[in-house]
């Protein structure tokens, strides 16, 4: 792949990641994140300030949410790269993200962010999706040679042959869909385009949210001298509805 093509795609589309990242934070509510997290853990860690709890809540939400948003973005990049090199395409088959033909083989690919993406049940579901995809594709061409691949955008796996499918991670995955062994490195530099500007916008929004949530938490879950009302917090999080 021509490096300028990659740069152009990243620079034109990375703003979508930042936009979604900011939008997810902009619509966040304290009550929503409080109900998701374990209040016993905060007590066990002896967290004594409203801001400390609020930061822990918001940071956990951000970390989880950004992994999902950026994972989806990287999937789009992988499909674009493969489309330019091997005429790859977004698959219409359930559980399959990418299809392409190379050297007489139809590859069906399930794209994940990193190598440690799922538990045993989720891996079984992926294998089931691969098997269903094979049956679907062979209804129109019974002789088609199909290979299933779990592609991971970063990380390593030194035993790629999993029996019913292959698992390619990091450099091996990007080379597999592009034919370029250095593509995994070439991606990193253009990702910084306008990153500082968009991150400044994110940090400003984050700071305002921490301040706002801290006041809200203190008003709702602290007594007049600033002591956290743990019983009230646990009830808000876990009390059964009557």
């Amino acid at each position: 792949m021509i490096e300028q093509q990659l740069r152009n795609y990243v620079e034109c589309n990375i703003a979508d990641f930042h936009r979604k990242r900011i939008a997810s934070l902009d619509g966040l509510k304290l009550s929503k994140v409080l109900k998701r997290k374990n209040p016993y853990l905060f007590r066990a860690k002896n967290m004594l300030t409203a801001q400390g709890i609020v930061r822990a809540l918001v940071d956990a939400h951000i970390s989880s949410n950004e992994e999902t948003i950026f994972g989806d973005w990287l999937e789009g990049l992988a499909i674009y790269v493969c489309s330019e090199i091997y005429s790859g395409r977004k698959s219409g088959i359930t559980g399959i993200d990418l299809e392409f033909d190379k050297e007489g083989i139809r590859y069906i690919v399930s794209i994940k962010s990193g190598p440690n993406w799922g538990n045993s049940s989720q891996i079984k579901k992926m294998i089931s999706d691969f098997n269903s995809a094979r049956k679907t594709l062979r209804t129109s061409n019974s002789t088609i040679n199909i290979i299933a691949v779990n592609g991971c955008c970063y990380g390593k796996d030194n035993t790629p042959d999993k029996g019913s499918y292959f698992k390619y991670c990091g450099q091996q995955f990007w080379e597999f869909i592009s034919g370029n062994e250095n593509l995994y490195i070439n991606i990193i530099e253009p990702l910084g385009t306008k990153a500082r500007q968009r991150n400044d916008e994110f940090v400003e929004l984050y700071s305002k949210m921490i301040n706002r949530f801290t006041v809200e938490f203190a008003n709702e879950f602290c007594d007049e001298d600033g002591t956290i009302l743990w019983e009230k917090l646990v009830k808000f999080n876990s009390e059964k509805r009557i």
Side-chain angles (χ1 to χ4, degrees):
M1 161 172 269
I2 299 173
E3 192 168 334
Q4 190 58 46
Q5 286 178 278
L6 177 67
R7 178 179 293 276
N8 289 344
Y9 178 89
V10 172
E11 290 182 357
C12 289
N13 290 276
I14 193 61
D16 189 50
F17 161 69
H18 291 294
R19 179 183 59 77
K20 290 180 179 178
R21 179 176 174 242
I22 290 170
S24 72
L25 195 59
D26 194 34
L28 196 61
K29 304 294 183 186
L30 177 62
S31 59
K32 185 177 180 180
V33 290
L34 271 176
K35 289 179 179 178
R36 286 180 181 171
K37 300 302 175 182
N38 186 346
Y40 304 109
L41 176 61
F42 295 141
R43 185 56 167 155
K45 292 170 67 176
N46 198 34
M47 299 183 74
L48 301 177
T49 68
Q51 188 179 84
I53 291 175
V54 165
R55 280 190 179 276
L57 289 167
V58 174
D59 289 350
H61 167 84
I62 290 172
S63 177
S64 174
N65 203 54
E66 286 182 344
E67 281 283 340
T68 300
I69 294 172
F70 196 64
D72 291 343
W73 191 90
L74 279 176
E75 178 187 320
L77 174 62
I79 293 171
Y80 167 75
V81 166
C82 193
S83 71
E84 291 295 303
I85 305 302
Y86 298 119
S87 299
R89 56 208 171 274
K90 175 72 176 175
S91 179
I93 303 174
T94 299
I96 307 302
D97 300 308
L98 171 66
E99 285 184 57
F100 69 99
D101 299 307
K102 181 169 68 171
E103 300 174 351
I105 298 171
R106 170 70 54 84
Y107 289 98
I108 53 175
V109 186
S110 175
I111 302 174
K112 308 296 182 183
S113 290
N116 304 312
W117 59 268
N119 56 34
S120 59
S121 296
Q122 291 169 314
I123 292 171
K124 286 180 181 178
K125 174 63 166 56
M126 180 184 69
I127 293 172
S128 175
D129 288 339
F130 283 150
N131 292 334
S132 297
R134 289 187 183 97
K135 291 178 182 178
T136 298
L137 291 169
R138 285 175 177 147
T139 56
S140 57
N141 184 352
S142 60
T143 63
I144 189 171
N145 187 6
I146 303 169
I147 292 180
V149 174
N150 172 204
C152 302
C153 296
Y154 68 87
K156 297 179 181 180
D157 190 310
N158 295 323
T159 56
D161 188 346
K162 304 302 182 184
S164 61
Y165 69 97
F166 289 86
K167 184 176 182 179
Y168 298 144
C169 301
Q171 179 182 14
Q172 195 171 25
F173 169 64
W174 291 104
E175 183 177 3
F176 162 65
I177 62 170
S178 71
N180 181 350
E181 66 178 2
N182 294 316
L183 188 69
Y184 79 114
I185 293 174
N186 297 340
I187 293 168
I188 197 73
E189 197 278 329
L191 284 174
T193 300
K194 299 181 180 178
R196 180 175 180 178
Q197 175 187 339
R198 300 309 296 265
N199 200 59
D200 286 347
E201 182 180 352
F202 182 85
V203 169
E204 182 178 358
L205 182 62
Y206 170 86
S207 300
K208 290 178 181 178
M209 175 167 290
I210 294 297
N211 291 338
R212 189 171 71 250
F213 281 7
T214 299
V215 172
E216 185 179 343
F217 183 95
N219 287 339
E220 188 65 29
F221 299 107
C222 294
D223 66 14
E224 291 183 358
D225 71 358
T227 302
I228 294 173
L229 303 171
W230 289 104
E231 183 175 325
K232 186 175 184 181
L233 180 59
V234 170
K235 285 183 176 180
F236 175 82
N237 175 275
S238 302
E239 188 174 40
K240 67 181 181 181
R241 293 183 178 180
I242 304 301

